[in-house]
């Protein structure tokens, strides 16, 4: 339920970080059981952000970021690739098509696995893409099993970065690569700035995160896990003054696509959903889910605008 999820982020009587860390699988499953349908309706089948060139549409930018990742890994036909925290399989299908490689998606949420299998069957890609229910902290695969591994904004949910990356290291073949788009606090984040702390908390609450690592912490964790980090960069920094910011899809603007991200639009949406709940057209709690997703959008926008947060800190590491 919404109440049980929100209790993980209730810090009224002191930090609840320990509960979010210890019971992260329960918290994440609550979150995605509640949010997956909203994500698919509002975002598509690839649950991540991307920078956007001028004139490029949203879905093209998402696909381009996935193709770029595949190119960085040097994926080739016949390679066995692991998608960590695969969501409903959008990136796995896109990368499998692009590189003609075999992708295995792992996800600990049963509902998302169900959706991923359905979409993959509809796309007639079962010969290239498969899905396994499993916890990326304890993967159900043997040592040295995959030629390459990637994660796109998924291991942000990990309670311990070193333990998570070490488990991925275990199942990666020697010489294999691990490519990652990680949610991170940038060097501009100031832990003594009350506004920055509020934004960080809002992102954690709205997106089912136990905590948010800094870019330096991610690189250190990869090194401690045994990898050699060969590339690192913030892929959501504008490459040109003409680029559209990564947070533009959630910006509070009075346009058809963005009006629901304004306070006015949010209030109207909430009232409408409450009405549908009362008439039993929608399940009770739908408006509450929309409320914490709005919290996420507000704080992601602020974090991006102030350049204290990035959803795409890219690293390429070799075993």
């Amino acid at each position: 339920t919404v109440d049980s999820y929100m209790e993980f982020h209730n810090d009224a009587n002191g930090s609840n970080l320990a509960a979010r860390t210890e019971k992260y699988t329960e918290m994440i499953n609550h979150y995605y059981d509640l949010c997956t349908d909203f994500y698919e309706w509002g975002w598509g089948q690839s649950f991540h952000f991307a920078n956007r060139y001028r004139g490029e549409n949203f879905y093209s930018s998402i696909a381009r970021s996935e193709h770029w990742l595949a190119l960085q890994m040097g994926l080739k036909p016949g390679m066995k690739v692991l998608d960590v925290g695969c969501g409903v399989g959008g990136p796995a299908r896109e990368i499998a098509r692009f590189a003609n490689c075999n992708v295995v998606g792992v996800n600990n949420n049963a509902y998302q696995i169900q959706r991923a299998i359905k979409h993959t069957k509809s796309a007639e890609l079962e010969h290239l893409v498969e899905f396994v229910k499993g916890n990326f902290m304890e993967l159900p695969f043997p040592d040295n099993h995959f030629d390459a591994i990637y994660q796109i904004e998924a291991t942000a949910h990990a309670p311990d970065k070193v333990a998570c990356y070490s488990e991925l290291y275990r199942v990666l073949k020697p010489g294999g690569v691990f490519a990652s788009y990680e949610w991170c606090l940038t060097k501009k984040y100031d832990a003594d700035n009350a506004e920055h702390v509020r934004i960080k908390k809002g992102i954690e609450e709205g997106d089912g995160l136990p905590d948010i690592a800094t870019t330096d912490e991610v690189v250190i964790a990869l090194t401690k896990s045994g990898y050699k980090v060969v590339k690192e960069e913030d892929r959501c920094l504008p490459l040109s003054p003409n680029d559209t910011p990564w947070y533009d899809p959630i910006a509070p603007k009075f346009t058809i696509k963005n009006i629901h991200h304004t306070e006015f639009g949010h209030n109207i949406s909430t009232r409408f959903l409450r009405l549908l709940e009362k008439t039993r057209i929608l399940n009770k709690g739908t408006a509450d889910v929309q409320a914490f997703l709005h919290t996420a959008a507000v704080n992601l926008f602020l974090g991006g605008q102030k350049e204290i947060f990035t959803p795409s800190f890219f690293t390429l590491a070799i075993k």
Side-chain angles (χ1 to χ4, degrees):
T1 66
V2 175
D3 288 343
S4 59
Y5 168 73
M6 292 303 295
E7 187 57 35
F8 282 109
H9 293 278
N10 181 4
D11 292 338
N13 298 316
S15 175
N16 210 19
L17 177 60
R20 293 195 293 272
T21 300
E22 292 167 11
K23 299 182 179 180
Y24 71 97
T25 55
E26 181 182 346
M27 178 182 70
I28 294 166
N29 271 297
H30 279 322
Y31 180 80
Y32 283 114
D33 283 345
L34 292 165
C35 295
T36 295
D37 290 339
F38 280 83
Y39 274 19
E40 286 201 57
W41 173 78
W43 210 257
Q45 294 175 15
S46 292
F47 300 166
H48 64 88
F49 291 97
N51 72 320
R52 191 161 15 133
Y53 300 149
R54 184 176 183 179
E56 184 178 39
N57 69 39
F58 171 76
Y59 294 108
S60 294
S61 72
I62 293 292
R64 175 173 53 78
S65 72
E66 294 163 1
H67 297 168
W68 187 87
L69 195 70
L71 289 170
Q72 298 306 303
M73 289 188 285
L75 299 185
K76 295 179 175 60
M79 290 179 72
K80 194 173 188 68
V81 183
L82 178 64
D83 180 334
V84 180
C86 62
V88 297
R93 288 184 291 276
E94 190 66 37
I95 287 172
R97 283 194 196 99
F98 180 76
N100 196 30
C101 59
N102 299 98
V103 180
V104 178
V106 65
N107 190 327
N108 206 29
N109 183 267
Y111 181 59
Q112 288 199 340
I113 288 287
Q114 176 189 330
R115 298 291 296 164
I117 292 171
K118 177 180 181 295
H119 291 315
T120 303
K121 185 176 181 180
S122 296
E124 299 184 359
L125 286 171
E126 302 105 307
H127 62 295
L128 288 178
V129 185
E130 63 181 290
F131 300 95
V132 175
K133 186 179 184 302
N135 181 350
F136 56 51
M137 302 296 290
E138 299 175 359
L139 290 166
F141 307 111
D143 296 354
N144 307 319
H145 189 61
F146 293 97
D147 298 298
I149 298 175
Y150 69 86
Q151 76 83 24
I152 301 178
E153 305 182 22
T155 56
H157 294 293
D160 182 328
K161 287 286 192 289
V162 174
C164 176
Y165 296 156
S166 295
E167 178 65 354
L168 303 183
Y169 187 91
R170 180 185 68 78
V171 301
L172 183 63
K173 291 179 181 179
V177 295
F178 170 42
S180 170
Y181 287 142
E182 188 69 84
W183 279 31
C184 286
L185 300 172
T186 71
K187 296 183 189 304
K188 293 186 178 182
Y189 177 79
D190 180 1
D192 294 322
N193 183 311
E195 184 182 19
H196 288 191
V197 172
R198 281 197 302 272
I199 291 169
K200 175 179 179 285
K201 174 64 178 172
I203 294 172
E204 291 166 355
E205 179 181 310
D207 290 286
L209 308 181
D211 199 4
I212 306 176
T214 66
T215 54
D216 287 343
E217 287 170 345
V218 165
V219 173
I220 290 169
L222 285 167
T223 303
K224 284 184 176 179
S225 302
Y227 299 93
K228 178 182 178 182
V229 179
V230 293
K231 289 185 183 179
E232 58 176 277
E233 66 174 289
D234 185 350
R235 287 296 296 174
C236 273
L237 287 177
L239 301 177
S240 154
N242 293 322
D243 284 0
T244 300
W246 65 266
Y247 50 82
D248 183 74
I250 53 173
K253 300 186 291 187
F254 284 91
T255 63
I256 292 174
K257 291 184 178 180
N258 287 60
I259 190 170
H260 59 292
H261 292 303
T262 66
E263 284 305 314
F264 171 79
H266 170 60
N267 290 335
I268 294 297
S269 297
T270 299
R271 291 177 185 178
F272 181 62
L273 292 174
R274 296 282 187 210
L275 176 62
L276 294 181
E277 286 179 15
K278 286 182 179 179
T279 57
R280 298 186 179 181
I281 295 174
L282 292 179
N283 292 330
K284 185 178 179 181
T286 301
D288 292 329
V289 174
Q290 192 258 357
F292 69 71
L293 290 178
H294 179 69
T295 296
V298 167
N299 288 283
L300 287 167
F301 170 74
L302 291 172
Q305 192 179 52
K306 294 180 181 299
E307 297 183 347
I308 63 171
F309 169 84
T310 177
S312 295
F313 178 61
F314 169 74
T315 54
L316 185 68
I318 300 176
K319 178 174 179 178

